[in-house]
Amino acid sequence: MIVRDRFRGLFPKYFLVLFMAVAVPLAINGVVEAWFGYRDQRARVDQLLDAEASSAAAEIHNFIHDISTQLGWLVQLPWTDEVDERRRTDAQRLLRQAPAIVSLTLLDHNALERLHVSRVSLNRIESRTDRSADPALVGARATQVWFSDVSYNRGSEPYLTVAVVGNRPSSGAVIAEVNLKLIWDVISAIKVGETGLAFVLDRPGRLIAHPDLSLVLRGAEETTSRPFRAVRDAIGPGADFATSQAADGRTVAVSAAPVAGPDWTVVVEQPLSEAYAPIYAALRRTATLLAMGTIFAGLLAYALAHRMTVPIKLLEEGTERIGAGAFDHRISLQTGDEFQRLASSFNKMAGGLALAQQHQERIAKLKRFLAPQVADLVDRTGDDSVLDGRRTDVAVVFCDLRGFTAFSAGVAPEEVMGVLSSYYEVLGRAIAQYEATLISFSGDGLMVLVNAPVAVEQPALRAVDLAIEMQKRVQELIAGWRARGYQIGFGVGLAGGSAIVGRIGYEDRLDYTAIGTVVNLAARLCASAADREILLDVEIATNVGGQRPLHDIGNRQIKGFDEAIPVFGISFGAL
């Protein structure tokens, strides 16, 4: 009875929470799917319309270009004062080969009309009319190929004037009238979906090609061209896709592509209802699934909330004990339903917390014996197998103080400890700055690894920069020490190459270190380095290249190596 009073009103609360926990993700998922589906469908429509517009623009450009090329063949030879029958033959042949050309007018180098052939008017031969002021000739002489604005023959058929001049002034020029009705074949072949279409507008926005030829024949009328011009203008500068109101009142998706040369625009449109039909169908399916999921969520929430009040006390007591740190406590619940699984989850959680506690203790222990980078790497990965031995390319840095033994023998131990404390402090900051790993230190010597266990970019360059920073910081200390009479110097040695890196030791004492020839070489180079000197092997020098000021010291006989080793240095005083 007490339990019932305590949990009075819990059913509607849990019902609402469980219902929302299922219904809200379903709703969010439906909205997200609808949004991404809309974006994907819009992108597909954009690509389709853009491809169709570009293809049509290319075909129309080829149509105009072919005519311009054919006209160019008529202005290859220089003119003479005699009648040239061959030019008339070539002009008539071109009229037969190019049905779109209505008339041809050939002008000589003096801008005099020498030949005019036409499909719709009388031919003229050697009229010698001065055409020097003809806008077509003036434009062609300026640009070699000239296109006029579209005109409408008898107010209906769209015509284009094309003028071409020869490569030499003596070749004269040719002016052709082109009937643009033949572009209808290109435009009428474009079908986007079921009802999408394409049309062509000239620069002022007049209709010059459309699948409905009757509209083209009325293209000079402002009332006919205005709706199509509005569709073209809906596509802003730099945009390839827009929505607009078509001439028939439907909302359409449109894309446009320019036609090079005559400055026309090909516009492709598709009704939005058709373009977005797949996404509308997907939205209906999503809405249906969302409604079904919501109903299912309500039923499930009702069933779960109805049976949730009986074992809660036991769960509450168990969780309080686990929260108090009794990770060995287990909740025993045999209801055969979700509560039993929940109790099992709590038990698993307690086991996981116990393991996590053990893991944290192990990490804390590792940090007492390993470098911080190594312990942090184990902590991030959750697996100390990253410390197992493996072969990798590393840059090894050794450094120590020159004259430290003589110094320590002549001063009090407190002075020695003070020098070492400030020495290790500045080196520690430099090592942390360059994300290197301090492997070991003994007396005044340090061993540092770059690129293990944490990989870095350009380890050789980073090791060189670390060595330079070490020299700079320690030399600042040395200046103060020498003012106090301490004769101490500082040298650094670097070597790069393959080494075995990993943990070594026993259960109660582990070290992370590197083993290999590269370690020995770095140590020997450090021993050979004088005060203010940084010595590096050929591997480091090769990888650094010209990025830092290196100089070739030559081959040196290094203890422990049978042959002399190429050694490079960095002039610290020049940095």
Side-chain angles (χ1 to χ4, degrees), residues 563-575:
E563 298 180 356
I565 302 298
V567 178
F568 296 80
I570 299 176
S571 179
F572 181 77
L575 295 177

Side-chain angles (χ1 to χ4, degrees), residues 354-571:
L355 292 176
Q357 186 180 44
Q358 295 174 5
H359 171 72
Q360 293 298 326
E361 292 174 353
R362 184 169 66 254
I363 294 300
K365 184 177 180 181
L366 284 174
K367 287 187 175 181
R368 291 198 302 269
F369 298 106
L370 297 179
Q373 292 95 326
V374 182
D376 289 339
L377 180 61
V378 174
D379 192 14
R380 288 196 304 270
T381 60
D383 182 8
D384 59 5
S385 63
V386 296
L387 303 179
D388 292 343
R390 60 187 177 91
R391 180 173 292 276
T392 188
D393 289 332
V394 295
V396 184
V397 181
F398 272 87
C399 63
D400 62 11
L401 295 173
R402 307 280 89 99
F404 180 76
T405 302
F407 158 74
S408 60
V411 299
E414 292 79 8
E415 287 291 319
V416 175
M417 293 301 295
V419 167
L420 288 178
S421 176
S422 57
Y423 169 69
Y424 284 133
E425 182 178 354
V426 298
L427 289 183
R429 288 199 296 267
I431 293 169
Q433 176 184 345
Y434 287 89
E435 299 180 351
T437 300
L438 175 62
I439 296 301
S440 63
F441 56 88
S442 176
D444 60 320
L446 275 77
M447 172 183 173
V448 179
L449 278 186
V450 179
N451 205 43
V454 181
V456 298
E457 295 182 358
Q458 296 183 294
L461 182 61
R462 184 172 298 212
V464 168
D465 290 343
L466 171 61
I468 294 173
E469 186 67 21
M470 285 178 166
Q471 275 286 9
K472 288 181 178 178
R473 296 191 181 194
V474 175
Q475 289 300 329
E476 292 175 357
L477 290 178
I478 289 175
W481 294 339
R482 289 182 177 175
R484 295 159 60 184
Y486 301 156
Q487 299 302 313
I488 300 176
F490 181 66
V492 184
L494 292 80
S498 179
I500 300 296
V501 297
R503 56 186 170 186
I504 188 171
Y506 57 94
E507 182 178 358
D508 293 333
R509 182 65 170 92
L510 294 174
D511 280 326
Y512 184 86
T513 189
I515 300 174
T517 304
V518 64
V519 179
N520 298 331
L521 179 56
R524 298 302 184 187
L525 289 174
C526 175
S528 300
D531 179 34
R532 305 176 67 86
E533 193 172 32
I534 301 174
L535 300 183
L536 40 144
D537 69 342
V538 66
E539 179 75 17
I540 296 291
T542 300
N543 288 330
V544 172
Q547 300 179 75
R548 297 295 182 269
L550 307 182
H551 59 271
D552 189 352
I553 297 177
N555 294 343
R556 282 193 181 183
Q557 189 66 45
I558 302 298
K559 182 179 179 181
F561 292 85
D562 296 335
E563 298 180 356
I565 302 298
V567 178
F568 296 80
I570 299 176
S571 179

Side-chain angles (χ1 to χ4, degrees), residues 68-340:
S68 302
T69 302
Q70 291 173 314
L71 293 175
W73 286 107
L74 297 179
V75 287
Q76 296 295 318
L77 299 176
W79 284 92
T80 63
D81 289 336
E82 288 78 17
V83 177
D84 194 338
E85 291 294 334
R86 186 173 60 177
R87 290 182 188 269
R88 184 173 64 174
T89 303
D90 291 341
Q92 291 174 343
R93 182 185 299 113
L94 180 56
L95 286 180
R96 290 194 299 270
Q97 293 175 350
I101 298 177
V102 178
S103 67
L104 291 169
T105 303
L106 275 70
L107 309 179
D108 64 11
H109 56 285
N110 293 320
L112 300 180
E113 181 183 304
R114 302 292 296 273
L115 176 65
H116 174 80
V117 293
S118 174
R119 301 180 190 275
V120 296
S121 63
L122 296 177
N123 297 340
R124 297 189 300 270
I125 301 175
E126 298 294 336
S127 67
R128 305 280 179 158
T129 304
D130 185 3
R131 301 285 292 272
S132 58
D134 192 318
L137 179 60
V138 174
R141 283 178 172 175
T143 61
Q144 192 168 12
V145 179
W146 178 83
F147 301 97
S148 70
D149 288 339
V150 174
S151 61
Y152 288 84
N153 187 31
R154 296 188 296 274
S156 61
E157 295 183 356
Y159 273 51
L160 174 70
T161 301
V162 181
V164 179
V165 297
N167 293 327
R168 296 172 295 179
S170 60
S171 301
V174 59
I175 302 174
E177 296 292 332
V178 181
N179 191 334
L180 300 179
K181 285 198 303 183
L182 295 182
I183 300 177
W184 180 84
D185 294 333
V186 176
I187 295 302
S188 61
I190 297 177
K191 294 295 182 183
V192 183
E194 296 294 330
T195 59
L197 53 86
F199 56 88
V200 183
L201 302 176
D202 66 357
R203 181 177 53 81
R206 294 175 298 179
L207 187 66
I208 58 177
H210 191 280
D212 187 352
L213 193 57
S214 64
L215 293 175
V216 176
L217 299 179
R218 301 197 307 269
E221 300 175 2
E222 175 64 18
T223 55
T224 300
S225 296
R226 186 186 301 114
F228 297 100
R229 185 165 57 249
V231 172
R232 181 196 66 178
D233 295 342
I235 305 175
D240 296 325
F241 178 86
T243 57
S244 181
Q245 202 79 10
D248 57 3
R250 296 182 299 175
T251 303
V252 294
V254 294
S255 184
V259 179
D263 195 16
W264 298 344
T265 303
V266 177
V267 181
V268 178
E269 65 178 35
Q270 184 182 21
L272 276 182
S273 58
E274 180 181 330
Y276 291 160
I279 190 60
Y280 294 154
L283 288 175
R284 287 191 292 271
R285 291 193 299 270
T286 300
T288 302
L289 292 175
L290 181 60
M292 295 174 60
T294 303
I295 294 173
F296 173 75
L299 295 175
L300 179 63
Y302 179 86
L304 291 175
H306 186 70
R307 302 182 59 185
M308 196 172 288
T309 57
V310 176
I312 285 183
K313 179 62 176 178
L314 184 59
L315 288 171
E316 182 184 12
E317 293 175 354
T319 53
E320 287 177 355
R321 294 188 61 180
I322 293 174
F327 299 136
D328 58 343
H329 176 72
R330 296 295 179 265
I331 301 174
S332 178
L333 202 61
Q334 303 296 327
T335 58
D337 58 11
E338 290 81 358
F339 281 108
Q340 183 174 339

